[in-house]
Amino acid sequence: MSANICTPPTPCACPEARNEAILDTVAEAILTVDEAGILLGFNRAAEAMFGVPAGDLLWRQLDRLIPLAHLREEGGVRLEFAPGQTTALVARDRAAEAERADGTRFPVELSVSASEVEERRIYTAILRDVTERRRAEAELMAAKEAAEAADRAKSTFIASMSHELRTPLNAVIGFSQLLEARTDVPSAGGQGQQRDCAVAIRQAGEQLLSIIDDILDMARVEAGGLSLIEEPVDLPALAAQAVADLEFQANRQGVTVEVVPEGDLPPMRGDRRRLRQAVGNLLSNAIKFSHPQGVVALTMAPAADGWVELAVRDRGIGMRADEIATALTPFAQVEQSTARQYEGIGLGLPLALRLVEAHGGTLTLDSEPGRGCTATVRLPPSRVMTIEEMLASMI
């Protein structure tokens, strides 16, 4: 009786076959060439990408699909391995254009490594078809350009609209001023009533003109077209003028506005009209949200760090911390209902912020519901005029 002898199982494939089986499971296209450009490896993902079976290409010169230059060192300079090294990265995410068997061309990205096998240089490339990614990038770029074109069109429209509205408004305001001058009679009689109407026309026209100016200025800021006219600025005089401009609004609201200089303010350099506009917007906002018989205080003082601070404080309705960001966003309103109690288009604070930032300064809001709001403007030391600048401005 013969004994059963166990024998080891016969390997199912050689190492090369196992490697090919592994490569065929990879989702990315992989091809291998030697220095002469002979195609040594072409996995199934490569067959699907290029639309050609490996049997039609293997062990032949790779004269199509992708230029050989993309599968080797850039510039043709042969990569030298360090002692003991047999593999090295030649390129990572190299952009190239490939060609399918049917002649259609498509973009790819490839990473290439070089290796030495029995003193034979072998190049292995992993390819990724980036057609969809490039299409998405192109669509994104087209959408960005369309958005920028729409933004430019919006800015152009706003500028044109502002010009068309300003022209008749200037006439309305001008003629109302003439009526005021010609009807300087107490309001007990008919002429006095006519004068009151002329005053109302002028004030309403000036308010509408101010809104149009804010819209136009915001469009200029967003389009990067706002330029400053640098000149000496007397902050106390600027503050007094800003308060005078808002006298009608303050009286209508029953609010008192106080200007409180604290310490000697140095002469500043900036755009007088823009700074006055910023301070005016802060004062207007404080007056609007103050309670009747309330007080709005405008304080100005040099800070210990060399900056100059202006603060507008009210004791009105105030805001929650999460509402401050909304208040500083153009055209946004903290109160969103259709039956809003407070009028406005949501540009006063955002425009003031951008005008202050254009001067290198900062604007911060500190507020609590029911406790009012403090808007603080800080202008940098670079805005303080030197003695040489002061003397030059007097010439």
Side-chain angles (χ1 to χ4, degrees):
M1 184 175 178
S2 60
N4 292 328
I5 301 175
C6 295
T7 58
T10 303
C12 63
C14 64
E16 290 78 4
R18 287 199 301 270
N19 290 339
E20 290 179 4
I22 293 172
L23 292 178
D24 281 339
T25 65
V26 177
E28 293 179 311
I30 300 177
L31 58 86
T32 304
V33 298
D34 63 10
E35 283 189 286
I38 302 299
L39 186 64
L40 306 179
F42 200 72
N43 71 344
R44 288 181 182 175
E47 291 180 330
M49 176 183 288
F50 289 98
V52 59
D56 292 351
L57 299 173
L58 286 175
W59 308 106
R60 295 186 176 91
Q61 184 79 28
L62 184 66
D63 54 1
R64 56 188 177 127
L65 305 185
I66 188 168
L68 282 172
H70 293 311
L71 307 180
R72 297 171 177 165
E73 294 91 341
E74 187 174 358
V77 180
R78 183 184 176 93
L79 178 67
E80 296 297 334
F81 294 127
Q85 184 182 15
T86 59
T87 303
L89 182 67
V90 171
R92 185 188 299 276
D93 297 334
R94 175 182 287 173
E97 188 176 54
E99 182 178 340
R100 294 187 175 90
D102 61 5
T104 58
R105 305 184 71 83
F106 62 103
V108 296
E109 280 185 355
L110 62 157
S111 298
V112 183
S113 62
S115 60
E116 292 282 1
V117 179
E118 297 178 353
E119 298 183 356
R120 185 183 180 192
R121 181 64 61 99
I122 304 296
Y123 296 96
T124 300
I126 301 175
L127 294 90
R128 294 169 293 278
D129 185 344
V130 294
T131 302
E132 291 303 318
R133 193 175 77 189
R134 295 288 174 81
R135 181 181 293 114
E137 290 173 351
E139 291 175 354
L140 183 62
M141 182 60 67
K144 177 177 178 292
E145 291 175 352
E148 290 175 346
D151 187 64
R152 289 192 296 271
K154 178 198 72 174
S155 298
T156 301
F157 167 76
I158 290 176
S160 175
M161 179 197 71
S162 299
H163 173 75
E164 295 299 323
L165 291 176
R166 285 174 61 91
T167 301
L169 268 177
N170 284 329
V172 169
I173 294 171
F175 284 117
S176 67
Q177 290 172 335
L178 287 176
L179 286 174
E180 281 186 75
R182 294 181 180 180
T183 55
D184 191 14
V185 178
S187 57
Q191 284 186 321
Q193 185 177 10
Q194 181 181 357
R195 182 179 183 278
D196 291 342
C197 291
V199 171
I201 291 171
R202 176 180 59 79
Q203 291 170 341
E206 289 174 346
Q207 182 180 6
L208 183 55
L209 186 60
S210 176
I211 293 173
I212 292 170
D213 285 340
D214 282 352
I215 294 173
L216 180 58
D217 286 336
M218 182 58 70
R220 286 173 177 162
V221 169
E222 291 183 342
L226 181 68
S227 58
L228 301 180
I229 300 175
E230 302 284 351
E231 56 190 332
V233 177
D234 183 341
L235 286 180
L238 181 148
Q241 186 59 58
V243 171
D245 293 339
L246 294 167
E247 182 180 2
F248 171 72
Q249 180 186 353
N251 291 338
R252 187 177 60 180
Q253 296 279 115
V255 173
T256 302
V257 181
E258 298 178 347
V259 180
V260 186
E262 298 178 354
D264 295 330
L265 289 170
M268 306 291 291
R269 176 176 46 80
D271 189 318
R272 186 185 301 118
R273 186 175 77 86
R274 298 300 186 187
L275 287 175
R276 173 176 155 189
Q277 185 179 9
V279 174
N281 285 358
L282 297 179
L283 286 170
S284 176
N285 193 74
I287 293 169
K288 182 197 304 184
F289 294 106
S290 289
H291 300 300
Q293 311 309 315
V295 176
V296 172
L298 170 59
T299 61
M300 298 170 288
D305 58 1
W307 290 58
V308 174
E309 294 184 352
L310 295 85
V312 177
R313 298 183 178 89
D314 68 75
R315 295 294 180 262
I317 63 173
M319 293 180 289
R320 299 191 309 269
D322 61 318
E323 293 175 331
I324 291 178
T326 302
L328 292 172
T329 302
F331 300 105
Q333 297 278 357
V334 172
E335 186 184 18
Q336 296 289 348
S337 66
T338 54
R340 290 187 297 117
Q341 179 181 356
Y342 300 98
E343 61 185 18
I345 60 174
L347 278 184
L349 290 177
L351 183 56
L353 171 64
R354 283 154 178 79
L355 293 177
V356 170
E357 289 178 340
H359 284 79
T362 62
L363 169 61
T364 56
L365 300 181
D366 182 21
S367 183
E368 292 182 26
R371 299 177 65 89
C373 179
T374 299
T376 303
V377 172
R378 281 171 53 85
L379 298 174
S382 60
R383 287 287 167 186
V384 177
M385 293 183 65
T386 64
I387 295 178
E388 291 77 9
E389 288 176 325
M390 293 171 57
L391 293 175
S393 66
M394 298 176 183
I395 299 178

